Amino acid sequence: MYDVCSQLLQKIYGDLTQKPIQLTRPSVCVADSLTPSQFIALDKSQLRGLILQQVGSTSHTVILARSFNIPILTGIRGLDGLVAEGQEVVVDANIGILIPEINHRVERFYDGEQKKSLIQQQRLMAFKNCPAETHDGIRLEVMANVATADEVSVAMERGAEGIGLFRTEMLFMDRDRAPGEEEQFKVYRQAVEAAGGYPVMIRTFDIGGDKAIDYIPWDGEGNPFLGNRGVRVYRQNEVLFKNQLRAILRASAYGQIKIMIPMVSCREEVVYVRTVLETVKLELDAQSIRYDQQIALGIMAEVPSIGFIIPQLAGLIDFFEYRHQ
């Protein structure tokens, strides 16, 4: 309905394409909803908080905001007439409240809270480059999960030892056509260069479930989260899959990349992915395009059936990634 209304308005009034929001001073952004791409376009140096009225606490925009350490409140209704442009407010995401009227006592309290928060951050940052190790001497790698290349720099500044999961589906969402090979290559290269030699685990697009996109047709499913998603859509959309693999391989010439495939449930799916990957490698070889010849290919062990066929898959892939929630 929203899309149809937008098209009708464009027919009547011409191009009504919204321009990116320009923040010229420290601001709290209030909106009904905000897509991940709209959030990424915001100037993070000026963004002090987000208030989204019709967005759930687990939406991709919320996940992005948290990764950038932006305080965010969701599901707040009845803001009309409560806050106005230019009004000073307090967004306390720790306890989940919005204070629209600031008096001297509130201001004094939150001045103290900000100072305590800054001291705590400084204390934590003192340990950011220390190795993670248990009391009995076992060394651990602490990595970050990201959905955009911009998040990689933030993660590395905070002491991450690489990117344990790069969710690439953000590149495919909030648009009317899939990203091309060149666009993806630039993003992956930016990410791997920002990692500074540390590994970056790129997961191929996991479209489906709660991440449906308009330009790939979907049939209704009773349980879409375990239905036609992840690796299961690659055969029907092989051009998209090959373009992504080409972009990832090309970016692997600029740093340490691993490829991870989501939602694998059987040996045949791994054989298919390996075949397509080797085909793409041959194409790049024929074009004399550089890539990491030894790039690792693994799977996300998240479908229960994987537990019964690990011996069958071990010779086809380089690693298993276990996901626990």
Side-chain angles (χ1 to χ4, degrees):
M1 289 296 295
Y2 178 82
D3 186 45
V4 171
C5 289
S6 297
Q7 291 183 49
L8 286 172
L9 289 171
Q10 287 181 347
K11 288 290 185 183
I12 298 170
Y13 298 108
D15 187 12
L16 296 176
T17 303
Q18 290 186 341
K19 297 180 179 179
I21 302 170
Q22 299 293 328
L23 302 182
T24 58
R25 56 180 176 172
S27 305
V28 172
C29 181
V30 182
D32 284 340
S33 62
L34 210 62
T35 66
S37 58
Q38 288 174 320
F39 171 78
I40 291 298
L42 294 174
D43 183 355
K44 309 304 181 299
S45 66
Q46 300 286 15
L47 185 61
R48 295 294 184 267
L50 276 178
I51 303 173
L52 303 179
Q53 299 184 71
Q54 299 181 10
V55 172
S57 60
T58 59
S59 77
H60 291 92
T61 300
V62 173
I63 293 171
L64 282 174
R66 288 171 179 161
S67 69
F68 281 96
N69 206 30
I70 303 296
I72 182 167
L73 299 178
T74 63
I76 294 185
R77 305 297 176 86
L79 288 178
D80 294 341
L82 190 62
V83 294
E85 187 171 347
Q87 177 181 343
E88 287 194 341
V89 298
V90 170
V91 176
D92 189 335
N94 288 329
I95 59 177
I97 62 171
L98 166 68
I99 303 178
E101 296 181 6
I102 303 175
N103 57 35
H104 177 68
R105 293 175 64 187
V106 170
E107 186 173 1
R108 185 175 61 183
F109 175 80
Y110 278 103
D111 278 345
E113 289 296 293
Q114 284 189 320
K115 289 176 182 176
K116 287 194 292 185
S117 177
L118 182 61
I119 292 171
Q120 183 183 33
Q121 290 179 30
Q122 290 173 339
R123 287 175 176 172
L124 290 173
M125 291 297 283
F127 297 97
K128 69 175 185 177
N129 294 321
C130 296
E133 193 173 278
T134 63
H135 282 297
D136 55 352
I138 298 175
R139 179 75 167 87
L140 303 173
E141 287 184 321
V142 178
M143 298 186 177
N145 289 359
V146 303
T148 67
D150 293 333
E151 295 173 85
V152 177
S153 298
V154 177
M156 304 313 294
E157 288 170 3
R158 295 177 182 174
E161 297 174 272
I163 303 303
L165 176 61
F166 189 132
R167 302 182 183 91
T168 60
E169 42 278 352
M170 286 293 183
L171 283 166
F172 294 78
M173 299 171 69
D174 299 321
R175 54 196 301 160
D176 57 8
R177 64 182 64 182
E181 175 190 334
E182 197 62 30
E183 179 183 347
Q184 292 186 70
F185 162 67
K186 290 178 180 177
V187 171
Y188 305 146
R189 177 178 174 177
Q190 179 187 344
V192 76
E193 289 182 336
Y198 285 102
V200 176
M201 182 100 67
I202 297 181
R203 185 178 70 186
T204 52
F205 62 86
D206 183 12
I207 300 298
D210 62 336
K211 300 186 286 289
I213 55 179
D214 294 336
Y215 50 85
I216 293 182
W218 301 101
D219 296 325
E221 293 184 283
N223 186 1
F225 288 90
L226 289 176
N228 193 31
R229 59 173 290 198
V231 69
R232 300 165 193 172
V233 307
Y234 294 172
R235 288 182 188 271
Q236 304 99 298
N237 301 276
E238 193 168 290
V239 173
L240 262 63
F241 184 43
K242 290 181 71 173
N243 282 344
Q244 182 172 43
L245 290 178
R246 283 180 61 93
I248 294 172
L249 285 170
R250 289 172 57 195
S252 70
Y254 298 88
Q256 189 182 162
I257 288 180
K258 296 180 180 180
I259 302 173
M260 183 165 59
I261 309 298
M263 296 301 294
V264 170
S265 60
C266 62
R267 185 179 186 277
E268 288 73 19
E269 289 168 342
V270 177
V271 171
Y272 167 74
V273 168
R274 176 65 76 179
T275 301
V276 176
L277 179 62
E278 295 306 318
T279 300
V280 172
K281 286 182 177 181
L282 290 174
E283 292 174 358
L284 294 178
D285 290 338
Q287 297 174 275
S288 300
I289 296 176
R290 294 189 306 122
Y291 64 91
D292 179 6
Q293 298 278 348
Q294 305 301 320
I295 192 168
L297 174 68
I299 67 168
M300 179 85 83
E302 53 192 332
V303 178
S305 59
I306 287 298
F308 299 96
I309 58 172
I310 287 177
Q312 298 176 36
L313 301 182
L316 295 172
I317 59 175
D318 301 299
F319 64 90
F320 292 88
E321 185 74 11
Y322 171 62
R323 183 177 183 179
H324 176 70
Q325 290 183 323

